[in-house]
Amino acid sequence: QVQLVESGGGLVQAGGSLRLSCAASGGTFGTYKTGWFRQAPGKEREFVASIRWSNGYTTYADSVKGRLTISRDNAKNTVYLQMNSLKAVDTAVYYCAVDRFGSGSWDVWGQGTQVTVSS
């Protein structure tokens, strides 16, 4: 069973940058796509970005376009989320997840990593 482990979260000042990593263990990411989600205190979990393994096609939530970038390293079985120009509203627990088979369901989730942006 594949497991996902996020890392790279922390405390950063507004305008700063962080890079999150999501590594797969016990298997590979599968053949379809990997995504990042986030959940702020008192709010629903929301989609942030996704990337397809086959062709690198990416999608982003409107709120992060131009500031956050998702990428992958096939050799390292790792997906990254580069976060620039961070704002206080980006404060949340960030999760990675995979849709291994193209079913439209995110069937494996990581444990999350906290990102806190101070204003």
Side-chain angles (χ1 to χ4, degrees), residues 41-115:
K43 295 190 176 181
E44 304 256 328
R45 185 157 52 190
E46 64 176 357
F47 170 80
V48 174
S50 67
I51 186 166
R52 290 187 189 174
W53 282 89
S54 60
N55 57 12
Y57 178 78
T58 58
T59 58
Y60 294 93
D62 288 342
S63 59
V64 305
K65 282 180 181 177
R67 300 188 300 117
L68 275 58
T69 304
I70 189 170
S71 62
R72 74 197 193 289
D73 185 327
N74 294 37
K76 294 183 178 180
N77 225 19
T78 300
V79 170
Y80 303 99
L81 185 67
Q82 178 66 44
M83 305 191 294
N84 298 328
S85 302
L86 283 164
K87 307 174 183 179
V89 294
D90 295 316
T91 295
V93 177
Y94 284 71
Y95 300 88
C96 68
V98 294
D99 172 359
R100 291 178 293 169
F101 309 114
S103 66
S105 296
W106 299 97
D107 52 310
V108 181
W109 290 82
Q111 83 289 347
T113 186
Q114 176 71 48
V115 171

